[in-house]
Amino acid sequence: MDASRITFARAAAAPERERSSGRRRAARAARGAGTWRRPRVRSATSGTRRPWTATRTAADRRPRPAVQKSGGTQLKLVMSFPNYGQALFKPMKQERDEETNFNLYYFSDFERHNAEIAAFHLDRILGYRRIPPVVGRLVDVVQDIKDVTTDHKLVHTFFSSAVGSRCFYGRCAYYCSTEHAVCGRPAALEGSLAAMLPDLALAARRTWRSPWRRSYSRSKRARWEKQADYCSAVKKTAPYDQGTRLVDFIDLAVLDFLMSNMDRHHYETFEKFGNDTFLLHLDNGRAFGRHSKDEPSILAPLTQCCRIRRSTWLRLRLLALPRFRLSDVMRESLAQDPLTVATAPLLTQPHLEALDRRLAAALRAVDRCLEEKGDDEVIYNDVAHVESEGTPASGEELVGG
């Protein structure tokens, strides 16, 4: 039998593996948080089948003591594993088919566990690979969190709801109260597990304020929202005045636009590489909140600067073709996540359709820039070394001319 179809309970208390009677297997399988099918995940970009070690560890192994992550506006836990790995756990806050209320400001939105998982898959499909591995998991609120936590402040926030569900709310700046409690069904809780980056002592990181940061005010607008030539000032400011930092950030803007993430106020890089580095696409929990409305202002870095990597442009054009439609690739990629197997698809069909719609809008924005400024000014040719080896420069074979 294929390994991906074998149900196992290694995340639960260690049983006697030699005994494999049907009754014992059924008992283990009934434990919601400990029932998993070992995934063999296929890379959406390469088409090869191989296991993702980091995501398999987070999906399969029972966590050791979990503590609440300090800081931030919403509840997050740091979970440790027997191999000394750690992952950031974001619990389920919204149902799949819920849309963010249109009257809410972007900074008042919930963080969604399925958004973190979907962002990881979309980032890979776009060819960026700048989001650390994220995987979905069912945990037992009591066995995997309450009974093993060493966080005394956290443990005092657990309670049983009126219908017997096991709940907790933690301590944070917003949405940490009995009114916004996280509850299992009755104890099984969905969440996302993101691989933790190396400790800052081992790999120092620098946090950068986004040039296109929103005002986070109900009455004020940011400078970029008021000045049409704002990008010309950004281009004269370090680190955007040299290297690839500007097109790196525009890559991030394209990602955010596709998943409708308005909450990109900062980003991080590894200090060791100076300006010859890459952006880390972290903290994507407020993405995929609305599928019925697009937010064109997220694309401001692209539309104001009229600059984009050739490789990004070609990838977007490829994903607009019927044979490689972005929504289809996303659906296939997300189908490999354990939560899709155990519960339901991570993105509803309207969200997948919104990806195709926004992709077409991003390509139209590039086309307008090309008509206005021409190929040389708009396209940053990051594949020149490949073209010199005989690969077609225009990418016509990839995107159908």
Side-chain angles (χ1 to χ4, degrees):
M1 182 181 293
D2 185 80
S4 65
R5 305 298 299 172
I6 299 176
T7 302
F8 65 100
R10 291 173 184 162
E16 295 179 3
R17 290 187 180 132
E18 297 81 16
R19 300 181 183 179
S20 56
S21 68
R23 185 175 62 181
R24 186 176 295 275
R25 284 189 207 146
R28 289 201 301 263
R31 300 172 192 162
T35 301
W36 290 101
R37 293 177 179 177
R38 182 182 297 277
R40 286 188 61 81
V41 186
R42 181 170 66 181
S43 167
T45 54
S46 67
T48 59
R49 295 184 65 85
R50 61 182 180 85
W52 291 340
T53 302
T55 54
R56 284 176 58 194
T57 297
D60 298 348
R61 300 192 180 187
R62 185 176 185 179
R64 286 180 173 177
V67 297
Q68 183 169 348
K69 186 178 185 299
S70 60
T73 60
Q74 301 189 35
L75 176 64
K76 296 180 283 287
L77 303 178
V78 176
M79 289 187 168
S80 302
F81 293 88
N83 64 353
Y84 304 103
Q86 288 188 320
L88 184 67
F89 179 79
K90 289 190 178 182
M92 181 177 183
K93 282 279 191 177
Q94 279 187 326
E95 298 292 338
R96 307 277 204 280
D97 56 355
E98 283 187 69
E99 266 202 291
T100 298
N101 191 312
F102 286 97
N103 293 313
L104 280 180
Y105 284 92
Y106 49 88
F107 49 81
S108 301
D109 197 8
F110 285 122
E111 292 186 356
R112 286 166 286 276
H113 72 300
N114 60 319
E116 292 284 2
I117 303 166
F120 166 64
H121 286 258
L122 181 58
D123 186 77
R124 287 175 59 88
I125 289 168
L126 293 175
Y128 299 156
R129 299 172 183 267
R130 296 169 192 161
I131 296 180
V134 185
V135 68
R137 177 163 181 172
L138 281 171
V139 300
D140 189 297
V141 171
V142 178
Q143 295 180 15
D144 294 332
I145 303 177
K146 181 177 183 294
D147 288 352
V148 297
T149 185
T150 57
D151 190 329
H152 300 296
K153 291 183 179 179
L154 175 64
V155 79
H156 289 304
T157 69
F158 284 82
F159 65 96
S160 293
S161 72
V163 296
S165 297
R166 305 310 299 268
C167 309
F168 66 104
Y169 53 87
R171 309 286 186 188
C172 61
Y174 302 101
Y175 304 125
C176 282
S177 64
T178 53
E179 293 79 11
H180 299 101
V182 173
C183 296
R185 297 177 179 175
L189 175 65
E190 285 189 33
S192 64
L193 279 171
M196 299 284 282
L197 292 171
D199 188 89
L200 292 175
L202 299 174
R205 302 191 303 275
R206 179 170 177 178
T207 300
W208 303 81
R209 182 186 174 100
S210 165
W212 279 270
R213 182 183 187 273
R214 296 179 184 274
S215 66
Y216 286 81
S217 167
R218 295 177 176 85
S219 57
K220 296 180 181 179
R221 291 195 301 163
R223 182 181 166 193
W224 61 267
E225 296 177 284
K226 297 182 288 186
Q227 298 179 3
D229 62 343
Y230 175 76
C231 185
S232 60
V234 174
K235 289 179 178 178
K236 299 174 184 177
T237 306
Y240 307 96
D241 58 345
Q242 58 182 334
T244 62
R245 183 63 65 91
L246 182 61
V247 288
D248 286 342
F249 190 85
I250 290 172
D251 278 349
L252 178 55
V254 170
L255 172 70
D256 283 336
F257 175 69
L258 291 176
M259 59 187 186
S260 194
N261 180 22
M262 300 174 67
D263 191 38
R264 188 67 65 188
H265 44 82
H266 290 83
Y267 64 89
E268 294 185 31
T269 60
F270 286 111
E271 282 193 349
K272 181 177 180 65
F273 307 110
N275 202 34
D276 299 321
T277 185
F278 55 91
L279 278 56
L280 295 167
H281 299 172
L282 306 176
D283 200 7
N284 303 289
R286 283 179 169 152
F288 295 104
R290 294 173 183 158
H291 54 70
S292 57
K293 183 180 183 297
D294 302 337
E295 183 52 57
S297 65
I298 302 175
L299 268 186
L302 171 61
T303 57
Q304 291 181 355
C305 298
C306 274
R307 192 75 165 152
I308 191 171
R309 271 191 170 90
R310 180 175 290 276
S311 60
T312 300
W313 180 50
L314 293 177
R315 179 61 63 99
L316 296 179
R317 292 173 65 189
L318 178 69
L319 293 168
L321 295 176
R323 184 180 174 187
F324 304 101
R325 186 177 289 112
L326 176 57
S327 59
D328 294 335
V329 178
M330 270 291 283
R331 184 186 298 106
E332 182 179 351
S333 184
L334 289 171
Q336 310 300 324
D337 187 86
L339 277 185
T340 299
V341 176
T343 57
L346 287 160
L347 289 182
T348 60
Q349 185 60 27
H351 277 296
L352 294 171
E353 293 172 355
L355 284 172
D356 293 331
R357 184 179 68 241
R358 293 165 187 158
L359 173 60
L363 286 172
R364 287 195 297 271
V366 177
D367 288 342
R368 288 192 293 270
C369 286
L370 289 170
E371 291 175 5
E372 179 184 344
K373 299 191 174 184
D375 216 83
D376 291 341
E377 282 195 44
V378 175
I379 304 298
Y380 173 78
N381 192 0
D382 61 325
V383 294
H385 62 289
V386 179
E387 295 168 2
S388 65
E389 296 174 2
T391 301
S394 65
E396 292 182 354
E397 286 77 358
L398 290 177
V399 297

